[in-house]
Amino acid sequence: MVLLISPHNVVKKDYYVSNFAPNEVNKMLDKHISIYSQGINISLALKILQTEPFLLTFFGGVNGKHVKNHLHVNKIKFDSVHIAKNSYEKINIIDEKLGTQTVINDYIMMADERIQNAYFNLVKDNIKRCNLMCFEDRVKDYFSFDILQNMASEASKEGIKTVVDVKSNLNLAELGQIKPYMVKINKKA
């Protein structure tokens, strides 16, 4: 089993309108919600390769319910830390008539100490079930270096190999024996 350290889930909401006018009431023609994260993408790829993923994440609010439902529908095993704030969302307002798009992003913030410690406890509770721990590229945006180092040390104590996304700005040498990886999704498949 592969333990995926993946706190970053995005609920993407596309709202389709005609003749979008900021600061006005606009009639919505259609709405589409999609969920994505590197951890979910890797989980789906691992399942195709007949390797069982186990995703550790955090989410909250209505957007968290969307993420949780997406994980259940795709039969991805996971554990999570509940956060009081709504999960990260990206809103696209797409004007079908004018062919324009307005993007509204929620901001990403580092998890507070309580959430980081609760997440680290999830890692400790689940690490023995896995033979590989995988950090997604955005972990440094959510966790302090000390927590990341503790996660890597916990894996090392249990003899678990650890890899990190090559796009990550983590200093691999400081975290110990961590190997880089890269997953590229083939959109044609």
Side-chain angles (χ1 to χ4, degrees):
M1 187 182 302
V2 177
L3 183 64
L4 298 164
I5 307 301
S6 181
H8 184 68
N9 300 297
V10 178
V11 177
K12 183 175 169 246
K13 298 176 180 178
D14 295 329
Y15 296 99
Y16 296 88
V17 298
S18 184
N19 291 321
F20 175 65
N23 301 318
E24 299 290 330
V25 175
N26 293 273
K27 181 180 178 188
M28 184 173 56
L29 304 173
D30 197 11
K31 175 182 173 181
H32 178 75
I33 296 176
S34 56
I35 312 298
Y36 62 93
S37 81
Q38 187 177 31
I40 291 171
N41 290 344
I42 293 169
S43 294
L44 294 171
L46 288 171
K47 288 174 65 99
I48 290 168
L49 298 170
Q50 299 179 349
T51 300
E52 189 174 3
F54 191 82
L55 185 71
L56 292 185
T57 190
F58 50 75
F59 44 72
V62 172
N63 287 342
K65 291 178 184 175
H66 288 303
V67 173
K68 192 174 184 178
N69 184 54
H70 184 74
L71 294 170
H72 283 298
V73 165
N74 287 287
K75 297 181 172 105
I76 297 172
K77 292 181 181 177
F78 69 95
D79 203 348
S80 64
V81 174
H82 177 76
I83 57 173
K85 183 180 181 286
N86 205 15
S87 293
Y88 180 82
E89 68 183 8
K90 179 180 180 183
I91 298 173
N92 297 317
I93 301 170
I94 301 160
D95 190 320
E96 291 185 333
K97 187 171 185 179
L98 299 175
T100 59
Q101 180 171 320
T102 303
V103 179
I104 303 167
N105 285 322
D106 193 4
Y107 64 94
I108 298 173
M109 60 181 216
M110 184 170 279
D112 65 34
E113 188 176 344
R114 179 194 65 81
I115 292 171
Q116 290 188 52
N117 288 331
Y119 196 96
F120 177 63
N121 287 331
L122 284 181
V123 170
K124 289 194 314 188
D125 293 345
N126 290 289
I127 194 78
K128 292 179 183 176
R129 301 170 22 184
C130 302
N131 55 11
L132 180 68
M133 183 168 70
C134 175
F135 287 108
E136 74 164 37
D137 66 330
R138 303 291 299 268
V139 293
K140 202 167 182 182
D141 295 335
Y142 291 91
F143 300 113
S144 70
F145 186 78
D146 289 343
I147 289 288
L148 293 171
Q149 200 167 36
N150 290 344
M151 289 181 202
S153 294
E154 196 67 29
S156 182
K157 276 194 298 191
E158 298 295 331
I160 307 297
K161 294 179 182 176
T162 306
V163 295
V164 65
D165 186 293
V166 293
K167 294 184 302 184
S168 175
N169 55 358
L170 284 176
N171 185 333
L172 300 177
E174 291 178 5
L175 282 180
Q177 300 298 316
I178 296 179
K179 305 282 189 247
Y181 76 91
M182 184 167 79
V183 173
K184 182 170 170 99
I185 305 299
N186 182 351
K187 295 181 180 182
K188 294 179 184 177

